[in-house]
Amino acid sequence: MSHYVEELQHEATAAIEVMQKAAIAARHIHARAELMRHMRLTAAKNKAKPKVEAVEAVVAEWLEAWYVPRNDWPHIANEMENFTATFYDYVNDASDANDQRMRATTKALDEALAAEGTTISDQMAFRSMCAHGWWEAVLPTPDTLPGKAERPTVPQLEKGRAFWEATCAEQCREG
């Protein structure tokens, strides 16, 4: 028979493992969802423009928000542009077909980033000026991140508040 203190220690260890897995999963899903929300919002702001012009404007705003110079990712530029174009198509026609195309180009971008050893959610969390502060508490930005930039807009954790209350900058909440 196990004793009380040992039981509590085992229960605590198991609960912490569950919490860690849940926090990592939530960060992954939330960062991904936030990028998609921003992409749709930015595409909607540009929907009246011709498609080529709108896609370029959205990609430029996206990369600026991530502090990434336009020419730093030429190896995935095609996937980024295709991904962005499907958001433009979707905001101009929110059809099932355009939703499926958005999913397909997201998968292609996922695969291109995976070939680089990263994910959409990691890049959103590590680079975006609109990152939520709690993401950093779950998985800190690596010091070795190529092109790592200071992001003064990302809210920091505050003493006396739950970590998940460190959301994103006010300017990023529109839409």
Side-chain angles (χ1 to χ4, degrees):
M1 178 174 132
S2 63
H3 289 213
Y4 182 58
V5 173
E6 286 73 25
E7 282 180 24
L8 290 175
Q9 289 298 309
H10 290 295
E11 287 177 27
T13 298
I16 290 168
E17 287 175 12
V18 168
M19 177 203 57
Q20 289 170 335
K21 288 177 184 174
I24 290 168
R27 176 196 167 273
H28 169 71
I29 294 164
H30 190 224
R32 189 176 177 85
E34 281 294 278
L35 174 61
M36 302 310 162
R37 183 178 69 82
H38 284 283
M39 293 299 291
R40 185 180 65 190
L41 182 66
T42 308
K45 288 188 322 189
N46 288 279
K47 75 186 255 179
K49 293 179 182 176
K51 186 174 183 175
V52 171
E53 184 181 330
V55 168
E56 182 54 37
V58 174
V59 169
E61 187 171 322
W62 174 16
L63 292 175
E64 181 180 345
W66 281 17
Y67 303 96
V68 175
R70 180 72 162 106
N71 296 323
D72 275 13
W73 288 353
H75 50 292
I76 61 169
N78 190 52
E79 288 83 359
M80 291 173 71
E81 289 165 5
N82 290 340
F83 171 75
T84 304
T86 62
F87 280 87
Y88 174 86
D89 292 340
Y90 183 82
V91 299
N92 281 287
D93 174 21
S95 66
D96 290 346
N98 281 333
D99 181 72
Q100 289 303 314
R101 286 186 54 242
M102 212 171 10
R103 292 169 191 266
T105 60
T106 299
K107 184 176 185 226
L109 181 58
D110 278 331
E111 290 168 355
L113 288 169
E116 299 292 314
T118 190
T119 64
I120 287 173
S121 58
D122 279 350
Q123 292 304 304
M124 180 66 179
F126 295 156
R127 296 186 183 282
S128 180
M129 67 173 45
C130 290
H132 288 243
W134 72 267
W135 298 344
E136 188 77 10
V138 172
L139 189 62
T141 303
D143 289 332
T144 58
L145 181 74
K148 180 179 177 180
E150 290 300 315
R151 300 177 299 159
T153 59
V154 177
Q156 300 297 304
L157 300 180
E158 294 180 34
K159 185 177 173 137
R161 298 185 66 113
F163 76 88
W164 56 79
E165 292 181 41
T167 60
C168 62
E170 186 66 38
Q171 72 196 33
C172 303
R173 295 181 196 163
E174 62 187 59

